[in-house]
Amino acid sequence: MGNKTRTIILIAPEFDEEIVVQCLYQMRQRGTAVDLVGTPTHLVIGASGLMVHPDYSLAQLHQAAEYDQQLIVIPGSTACATNLLSDPRVHQVIQKSLKSGGYVATSSPV
């Protein structure tokens, strides 16, 4: 098995719906393998009340197959970033990605 690369968009409650949906849509339209990963186990509610069901929860991501490189996207909105960065599992995912040559990208609200 060779190295696998995966792109992950992390979301937490109060995520910025416009940025997340647009980023996910554009990446998938271009053929990028991207997963939406939420800190809660099931539905994640955005800043305007939009509910989404992520592809994986953060807990499931830890149980998934090993990936050597990752692009981790932390989408805009201070509330979402604060919720994400208050979860120690997010720090573990970021550290693991950086150690294996991955990247972390952030965006700011428009």
Side-chain angles (χ1 to χ4, degrees), residues 41-102:
T41 306
H42 300 291
L43 294 176
V44 184
I45 301 172
S48 299
L50 176 71
M51 291 187 282
V52 299
H53 190 279
D55 299 311
Y56 299 100
S57 70
L58 199 51
Q60 291 170 315
L61 179 65
H62 284 287
Q63 297 170 1
E66 292 294 317
Y67 287 80
D68 293 330
Q69 294 183 359
Q70 297 177 338
L71 168 60
I72 299 173
V73 178
I74 298 175
S77 151
T78 303
C80 180
T82 299
N83 286 334
L84 284 170
L85 295 174
S86 67
D87 189 324
R89 299 172 302 171
V90 171
H91 292 273
Q92 292 169 355
V93 168
I94 290 171
Q95 288 174 351
K96 183 177 178 182
S97 178
L98 293 174
K99 285 181 182 177
S100 67

Side-chain angles (χ1 to χ4, degrees), residues 26 89 110:
Q26 288 183 10
R89 299 172 302 171
V110 284

